[in-house]
Amino acid sequence: MLVVRPTRPADLPALERLASNATPRLTNLPAHRDRLEERITRSQRAFEAEVEFPGDEHYTFVLEDQERGEVVGTATVRAQAGAREAYYTYRQETLIHASQQLDVRREVQTLSLSHEVSEASLLCAYSLDPRYRGTSAESLLRRARLMFIAQYPERFAEILAMAFPGYLDEGGQSPFWNSVGRHFFVRDYQEINYVAGVRSKSFIAEVMPQFPLYLALLTPQARAAIGREHPDHESAMDEMLGEGFLRSRHVDIFDAGPVIKAERDRLSSFRRAAWHPVRIRPAHSLPDAEPAMVANQRLRDFRCVVARYALSPTGQLMLSPEHAEQLGVEEGRAVLAAPLALPGDAHDPGYDEGEL
């Protein structure tokens, strides 16, 4: 019996464990007790605040296995990525160098510092206990955030973004960092990644070169890592592309991991979500049906579970007493449901032509 809910102070030990076990270690989920305590407090304030437009709110969720009585995953949404300080990325661009006199025209690939993603809402800080990988728990934790955003659109930007961890070699080193950032900081990737998580990434942008980086001057290993996600996150990338996200021209300034973006109303979970009144029936009497994400409509007590998308002839969503209790809903109360499975014809369209 898995349920996604807002985090609370008692979850701190679990968040510490999830941060320590994240693969690879995440800048936005540092294994630092004080920072994690701040994260919980900040999230509680966000859920309790009256919000009319996105700002510096951070909404942190956890996945709880109620049978085991333990928290087994966490994920966060930052209402505005750059609300407090600019959210820096590298933007992939093409410069044309031409000379009529020499009859030369060359297209040169570059990376330029950018803070265009600052206005987007950022899905981040995802970590799941290894025991639950390869199960529906992955999709539930990753996409329950979309069910929350769908209910409270005024709290979030029209554009959603998600930054994936970049490629690391067998030694846990980032070829991109070693070719770029290491020249400006005498620290290895893992150390600088931790420091940025405990503090912020803004100091990186202050020291990194402000001029475009010419890809031809980087090592072949660094060029190959640009826009490439960590192998452990390939299935997550496939799912979010299937959801409707698009690869953008932006990459992380540390490891060059890809940043994907989407207009939220074009995402599958938004387009296919529907409200249904609840009808409670014994689990053994429920008809077979495809699984769905089902969320209640409570802000501070938000809950999202995976249940069968079983509808009565009158459009009621039939839930077992156990799922109704998890969601905290009574018969007749409306819930939001969206199919867990994504459309089978989803594909990766490459870079977003509209430059979202």
Side-chain angles (χ1 to χ4, degrees):
M1 300 292 284
L2 301 175
V3 60
V4 172
R5 59 165 175 80
T7 189
R8 50 194 183 218
D11 300 328
L12 180 58
L15 292 186
E16 288 184 284
R17 174 174 51 81
L18 290 165
S20 297
N21 294 337
T23 305
R25 294 292 183 91
L26 303 177
T27 307
N28 49 37
L29 188 64
H32 189 285
R33 188 177 185 87
D34 291 345
R35 297 291 84 79
L36 293 174
E37 281 185 320
E38 290 177 9
R39 179 183 295 268
I40 293 172
T41 301
R42 191 173 193 173
S43 178
Q44 288 183 304
R45 287 200 301 262
F47 279 101
E48 293 171 359
E50 297 292 333
V51 176
E52 297 181 358
F53 50 85
D56 195 27
E57 299 83 27
H58 289 204
Y59 303 87
T60 296
F61 301 86
V62 296
L63 177 68
E64 181 179 3
D65 186 329
Q66 295 187 328
E67 289 184 350
R68 294 177 180 267
E70 62 178 305
V71 167
V72 298
T74 184
T76 295
V77 184
R78 292 168 59 178
Q80 190 177 69
R84 178 174 294 185
E85 56 191 18
Y87 182 84
Y88 284 97
T89 62
Y90 273 126
R91 176 186 167 93
Q92 301 180 71
E93 299 177 345
T94 301
L95 297 181
I96 297 177
H97 290 244
S99 171
Q100 292 184 347
Q101 185 176 3
L102 298 178
D103 192 24
V104 172
R105 184 184 185 280
R106 293 293 302 276
E107 292 186 357
V108 181
Q109 304 304 311
T110 67
L111 294 175
S112 297
L113 276 178
S114 169
H115 47 76
E116 295 174 22
V117 183
S118 293
E119 298 300 315
S121 292
L122 188 68
L123 280 67
C124 59
Y126 176 98
S127 181
L128 181 67
D129 188 301
R131 294 172 294 175
Y132 295 81
R133 292 173 188 164
T135 71
S136 61
E138 285 190 305
S139 294
L140 174 62
L141 177 59
R142 190 173 293 122
R143 293 164 54 208
R145 293 173 290 183
L146 301 180
M147 300 291 281
F148 182 78
I149 295 171
Q151 294 193 48
Y152 304 100
E154 71 281 0
R155 291 174 175 262
F156 302 96
E158 294 288 339
I159 300 297
L160 305 183
M162 191 172 181
F164 279 82
Y167 173 78
L168 303 181
D169 62 22
E170 295 180 356
Q173 292 296 309
S174 165
F176 182 80
W177 174 260
N178 288 340
S179 186
V180 179
R182 193 177 180 89
H183 293 293
F184 302 90
F185 297 87
V186 190
R187 301 187 182 188
D188 65 21
Y189 170 76
Q190 298 296 348
E191 184 180 3
I192 203 71
N193 196 42
Y194 177 77
V195 171
V198 173
R199 299 178 186 174
S200 73
K201 281 190 176 181
S202 63
F203 73 92
I204 297 294
E206 293 167 358
V207 178
M208 295 289 274
Q210 301 297 311
F211 301 102
L213 299 177
Y214 284 72
L215 268 58
L217 302 180
L218 305 184
T219 65
Q221 295 84 352
R223 293 198 298 271
I226 295 173
R228 179 181 176 186
E229 65 271 18
H230 189 281
D232 287 354
H233 292 258
E234 290 175 352
S235 62
M237 173 66 84
D238 289 341
E239 179 177 38
M240 299 315 283
L241 293 177
E243 176 70 59
F245 280 85
L246 301 173
R247 291 181 182 270
S248 75
R249 299 188 184 277
H250 296 268
V251 297
D252 185 79
I253 61 175
F254 281 180
D255 56 23
V259 176
I260 60 176
K261 297 194 292 184
E263 295 179 10
R264 67 188 188 197
D265 292 338
R266 294 188 177 184
L267 296 178
S268 177
S269 293
F270 282 70
R271 292 186 291 102
R272 302 167 73 201
W275 290 98
H276 300 282
V278 168
R279 186 175 183 180
I280 301 176
R281 291 292 181 269
H284 65 82
S285 68
L286 297 180
D288 289 335
E290 294 297 318
M293 297 179 292
V294 182
N296 65 11
Q297 51 179 325
R298 296 181 180 179
L299 174 60
R300 297 170 182 81
D301 295 317
F302 175 81
R303 300 289 186 273
C304 187
V305 303
V306 172
R308 293 185 228 177
Y309 209 152
L311 298 180
S312 71
T314 55
Q316 295 170 306
L317 183 66
M318 293 183 281
L319 292 178
S320 68
E322 293 78 14
H323 280 136
E325 182 179 0
Q326 279 185 304
L327 292 168
V329 296
E330 302 172 350
E331 187 150 318
R333 180 72 66 177
V335 293
L336 185 67
L340 185 66
L342 292 166
D345 59 351
H347 65 282
D348 179 3
Y351 289 112
D352 53 304
E353 295 298 331
E355 295 302 320
L356 293 175

